[in-house]
Amino acid sequence: MCSHKTLLRIINKGVSFPSNQQQLQLAHNITNNLINFNYLKPSMELQSMISCITPHVTYHVLSDPIIPPHSLLAFYNFLRTQHSHTGHKPDLKAHVILLYRLFEAKKFASMKSILNCVVADVGIHCPVSGVVSLVDDCETHFVETLCDMLIRVCADNRLFQAAFRVYDYVEAKGLVIEGRSCLVLLLALKKCGEVEWCLWFFRRMVESGRVEISVQSMTVVIDVLCRGREVEKAKELLDEMAGKGIVKPTVFAYNALLNAYVEGKDQRGVDKMLMLMEKEKVVPSLVTYSILIKWYASSGNIGEVEKIFEEMSERNIEMDVYIYTSMISWNCKLGNIKRASALFDEMTWKGIVPNCHTYGALLSGVCKAGQMEAAEMLLEEMQSKGIDLNRVIFNTVMDGYCRRGMIDEAFRLKAIMERKGIEEDMVTYNILASGLCKLQRYEEAKQILNMMVEKGVAPNVVTSTTFVEICCKEGNLAEAERFFRDMEKMGVVPNIVTFNTLIDGYCKKEKMKQANMLKFEMVKKGLLPDVFTYTSLIHGECIVGRVDEALKLLNEMLLKGINGSVATYTAIISGLSKEGRADEAFKLYDEMLRVGLKPDDRVFPALVGSLHKPGSLAAEKQNEYGEQK
């Protein structure tokens, strides 16, 4: 039964004058009406009383022990919906009285719903401090339950400061709060990325000694610290909690740290965590193995990835579609299509159903390898299994066709995509324009890019670079420069590929002054020249007969730790040969072989052309060349 004394204390708090007889009579009439009708919807008679209902009448009705909870809720909802007639909504005191009645009736779900109204209602000022002051001298169990719920409700509404004030009150009064409620608050803080508050509140929980510290709470804090790149703080917390015996970390906490070290490409951190897990006898989970596969695969160590995969099989760890998709994806990225296909077959044989991402990973691999027949078979299989072909899948296969020069097939796929109601994005247009450029169909490529703009698809740096490339290939350097200068006005920042494209265009047209100025400009913008930049400039200097300038560029490039390519050495060997500097040309040829570069068909004709001085080193090299030939 409801404690009437408690309710009277709540009603009389802060009241400067008692209820009059008229108000008490009205409360009695409303009570009889609610009991007699006992409906979820108030009667017509009750509706006729609406204009006379005052806050004191509301308090007396809600505190009457003979009214069942469902009728109280009906009356409460009636007052909230009819407040325009009464001139007031249920105030904070009315809410607290109703909360107490629901608590006594063990209607906790309804209690939380009402409390949510209290916190979310903008018409009630400072609800947390107000609620606390009203229940200050109520029985302990009710106050603890109310505060417990209030922390959860504040967390749900992201009212973190209010939740902390409730916790302050609980701690000051020596009350007990559920660890589960504190976990709800920690999870809400994590969701909002409040790293410092999350750690601060967890510290308070530990220091209070009144909250049960669960492994879940600690794991949440470790995870949020890792996500906030405070990995060392997270590691210190794990060591502290384990060292003091407060809570023993599980594999989930170790996984959070391990993943953070992997994301940060921290080799020492990864090794440290693996050693610690082994020392603490923490059994790796499926997630642990997934993280390790990602780590070793990203560094190209596919052998170690296969060892991990084999270990999972030996330990009978049940694989899922995500592990197989990850393995297939990494093998495809490393060009091992045969292994990726074998894994795909293995997972289907085991009854693991490939999803859209699995097919996408394998499709990407076979398309990059130019295996378009295999790509077509995978597309048919996807459709037969009812897996929708999305824009990413279409773009992947179109790119594969364009790489093979099968532009008509790419446009056929674009038409199918349109019939399915899938709109092209900038990636689609970039792929098609690039494919047309490779076939030297520049006018059609420009039409595709213009069509993209007309359809309202905003160009990106790839689109703009493609347009610059088209202008350069057509020999229209003035248009290429103009478009290049307009890029930033369109909100597109040129990248190193854009600069390299225009530099190469100037070099091929023997405009070395403009090319070198662009190199200076890109460095000023913080973009470091790469092998493509230097190769274009070296080739350009050789074309205009400034081979010594080309050699200076080669030395500059090597001093910066940039390795030359076959094209780099071929360009400068050709330049030296044209000037009859055969000895230097052959020295570069030897250097090229020494660094592991395989000469192509353009190198040998250049060297042959330089062999015109008998008795020189070139004549000796001629014999070597003849043997190699």
Side-chain angles (χ1 to χ4, degrees):
M1 287 294 292
C2 177
S3 172
H4 198 59
K5 287 182 179 178
T6 300
L7 288 170
L8 284 175
R9 280 201 298 269
I10 296 171
I11 292 171
N12 293 326
K13 273 208 172 184
V15 175
S16 55
F17 55 89
S19 305
N20 59 41
Q21 192 60 39
Q22 188 179 359
Q23 288 175 339
L24 293 173
Q25 184 59 48
L26 179 58
H28 178 73
N29 293 341
I30 292 171
T31 299
N32 287 337
N33 185 273
L34 288 170
I35 293 167
N36 292 333
F37 284 89
N38 201 21
Y39 296 145
L40 292 177
K41 184 178 180 181
S43 65
M44 292 297 294
E45 186 181 346
L46 180 56
Q47 292 184 20
S48 67
M49 304 177 194
I50 190 70
S51 59
C52 302
I53 297 176
T54 63
H56 277 76
V57 172
T58 304
Y59 304 155
H60 285 287
V61 172
L62 291 174
S63 61
D64 199 318
I66 65 172
I67 304 176
H70 66 271
S71 295
L72 288 175
L73 288 169
F75 178 63
Y76 167 79
N77 290 324
F78 170 71
L79 291 178
R80 281 179 63 84
T81 55
Q82 299 293 321
H83 71 273
S84 58
H85 300 292
T86 61
H88 73 273
K89 288 189 286 187
D91 60 11
L92 192 56
K93 191 180 290 187
H95 281 87
V96 172
I97 292 167
L98 180 57
L99 285 166
Y100 189 83
R101 292 294 314 279
L102 293 169
F103 166 76
E104 286 291 326
K106 294 183 170 45
K107 301 287 184 183
F108 300 114
S110 297
M111 190 179 171
K112 189 179 178 185
S113 178
I114 296 298
L115 199 53
N116 198 63
C117 292
V118 173
V119 171
D121 196 332
V122 294
I124 300 175
H125 301 289
C126 302
V128 170
S129 56
V131 169
V132 166
S133 66
L134 285 169
V135 301
D136 195 41
D137 52 1
C138 293
E139 58 247 45
T140 302
H141 187 36
F142 169 64
V143 178
E144 286 179 341
T145 303
L146 188 65
C147 289
D148 209 72
M149 283 189 179
L150 199 50
I151 285 177
R152 296 188 188 211
V153 169
C154 287
D156 292 343
N157 287 278
R158 301 185 178 185
L159 299 172
F160 301 129
Q161 294 289 359
F164 296 150
R165 285 199 295 273
V166 178
Y167 186 84
D168 290 341
Y169 172 81
V170 169
E171 200 173 64
K173 289 288 181 180
L175 303 173
V176 176
I177 200 79
E178 277 190 31
R180 178 68 187 168
S181 298
C182 293
L183 176 61
V184 168
L185 180 51
L186 287 171
L187 286 167
L189 289 165
K190 174 190 169 183
K191 192 175 180 180
C192 294
E194 298 290 353
V195 181
E196 294 304 321
W197 277 2
C198 207
L199 180 60
W200 171 80
F201 183 64
F202 181 74
R203 290 279 182 205
R204 284 201 61 184
M205 289 166 59
V206 174
E207 289 163 10
S208 74
R210 302 185 66 83
V211 181
E212 183 184 352
I213 307 299
S214 66
V215 69
Q216 291 91 344
S217 295
M218 184 198 68
T219 304
V220 166
V221 181
I222 287 173
D223 190 43
V224 79
L225 285 169
C226 289
R227 288 172 188 267
R229 300 184 180 180
E230 299 276 4
V231 188
E232 291 313 310
K233 276 188 183 178
K235 175 66 169 57
E236 287 168 12
L237 183 66
L238 182 137
D239 292 341
E240 180 189 338
M241 293 297 107
K244 291 180 178 178
I246 296 171
V247 61
K248 184 176 174 60
T250 63
V251 69
F252 301 105
Y254 288 101
N255 284 344
L257 277 160
L258 184 63
N259 189 60
Y261 286 125
V262 167
E263 291 289 336
K265 295 179 172 49
D266 185 344
Q267 175 75 59
R268 287 183 61 193
V270 171
D271 293 342
K272 186 167 61 177
M273 285 310 303
L274 291 175
M275 288 172 62
L276 185 60
M277 288 176 75
E278 188 175 350
K279 179 186 170 186
E280 298 296 329
K281 295 182 172 53
V282 178
V283 180
S285 67
L286 185 65
V287 174
T288 315
Y289 286 116
S290 299
I291 293 166
L292 290 175
I293 286 171
K294 177 183 175 183
W295 168 246
Y296 289 115
S298 63
S299 57
N301 194 346
I302 199 68
E304 198 63 37
V305 170
E306 290 293 348
K307 280 184 188 176
I308 291 166
F309 191 72
E310 190 178 330
E311 184 183 326
M312 292 174 74
S313 298
E314 288 171 359
R315 288 191 53 210
N316 293 320
I317 291 178
E318 191 174 342
M319 312 281 194
D320 61 11
V321 66
Y322 304 105
I323 283 287
Y324 272 102
T325 300
S326 181
M327 288 291 294
I328 289 166
S329 178
W330 286 114
N331 273 284
C332 285
K333 284 175 183 175
L334 295 169
N336 195 348
I337 307 303
K338 186 177 179 181
R339 175 60 176 154
S341 300
L343 285 164
F344 185 85
D345 293 339
E346 182 184 309
M347 72 180 287
T348 51
W349 176 75
K350 285 184 176 180
I352 300 169
V353 180
N355 60 22
C356 187
H357 300 292
T358 319
Y359 279 104
L362 190 54
L363 269 169
S364 178
V366 297
C367 287
K368 283 177 183 174
Q371 299 175 12
M372 297 315 297
E373 296 79 8
E376 287 166 2
M377 288 172 65
L378 283 169
L379 280 178
E380 287 178 14
E381 189 177 318
M382 286 178 74
Q383 288 180 299
S384 68
K385 290 186 176 179
I387 299 173
D388 287 335
L389 304 182
N390 57 31
R391 187 189 292 119
V392 175
I393 296 293
F394 276 108
N395 285 345
T396 300
V397 182
M398 272 191 271
D399 185 53
Y401 280 130
C402 288
R403 284 170 184 267
R404 285 271 302 268
M406 302 166 69
I407 197 71
D408 293 337
E409 290 301 313
F411 275 101
R412 179 185 62 79
L413 209 59
K414 176 179 175 287
I416 294 171
M417 181 176 167
E418 288 171 347
R419 284 199 297 273
K420 285 184 171 287
I422 302 171
E423 289 186 8
E424 304 93 333
D425 61 0
M426 63 182 170
V427 177
T428 315
Y429 289 107
N430 288 341
I431 287 167
L432 294 171
S434 181
L436 288 164
C437 280
K438 285 174 185 173
L439 298 173
Q440 298 182 4
R441 291 160 64 172
Y442 303 123
E443 197 57 43
E444 291 172 78
K446 280 198 286 189
Q447 288 173 9
I448 283 289
L449 295 178
N450 288 331
M451 185 193 302
M452 166 182 155
V453 175
E454 286 169 11
K455 287 196 173 182
V457 180
N460 65 355
V461 68
V462 177
T463 318
S464 301
T465 303
T466 304
F467 195 86
V468 170
E469 181 189 358
I470 292 168
C471 294
C472 289
K473 293 282 174 65
E474 289 181 330
N476 193 347
L477 290 175
E479 179 65 13
E481 178 81 26
R482 185 195 64 77
F483 190 85
F484 178 81
R485 298 300 167 195
D486 286 344
M487 280 177 66
E488 291 199 31
K489 293 177 187 175
M490 297 185 290
V492 182
V493 180
N495 61 15
I496 190 167
V497 181
T498 321
F499 273 97
N500 283 346
T501 303
L502 191 52
I503 287 170
D504 189 58
Y506 278 125
C507 290
K508 284 175 179 173
K509 288 293 181 180
E510 303 180 18
K511 295 181 181 291
M512 296 310 297
K513 182 180 178 182
Q514 291 92 326
N516 282 301
M517 283 173 65
L518 274 172
K519 181 199 168 195
F520 176 76
E521 184 182 334
M522 70 185 283
V523 171
K524 195 175 177 182
K525 286 181 178 286
L527 297 171
L528 298 177
D530 61 10
V531 65
F532 299 103
T533 320
Y534 281 105
T535 301
S536 294
L537 291 167
I538 286 168
H539 184 238
E541 295 292 3
C542 288
I543 290 173
V544 297
R546 290 202 295 261
V547 182
D548 289 331
E549 288 300 317
L551 286 167
K552 284 180 186 177
L553 284 165
L554 179 65
N555 289 329
E556 181 187 316
M557 180 182 79
L558 296 174
L559 283 170
K560 288 184 177 180
I562 303 169
N563 296 321
S565 66
V566 171
T568 317
Y569 284 97
T570 301
I572 204 160
I573 286 170
S574 178
L576 288 165
S577 298
K578 283 177 184 176
E579 291 195 353
R581 297 161 69 172
D583 292 356
E584 292 173 83
F586 272 101
K587 280 181 182 177
L588 271 178
Y589 173 73
D590 288 340
E591 184 183 327
M592 184 180 180
L593 294 175
R594 194 164 53 250
V595 297
L597 293 173
K598 186 178 179 181
D600 60 18
D601 291 340
R602 293 171 296 173
V603 176
F604 294 117
L607 288 170
V608 169
S610 70
L611 300 175
H612 61 280
K613 291 185 179 179
S616 68
L617 175 64
E620 295 173 22
K621 288 291 180 183
Q622 184 174 16
N623 293 330
E624 290 181 26
Y625 168 72
E627 290 171 9
Q628 289 174 6
K629 197 70 174 170

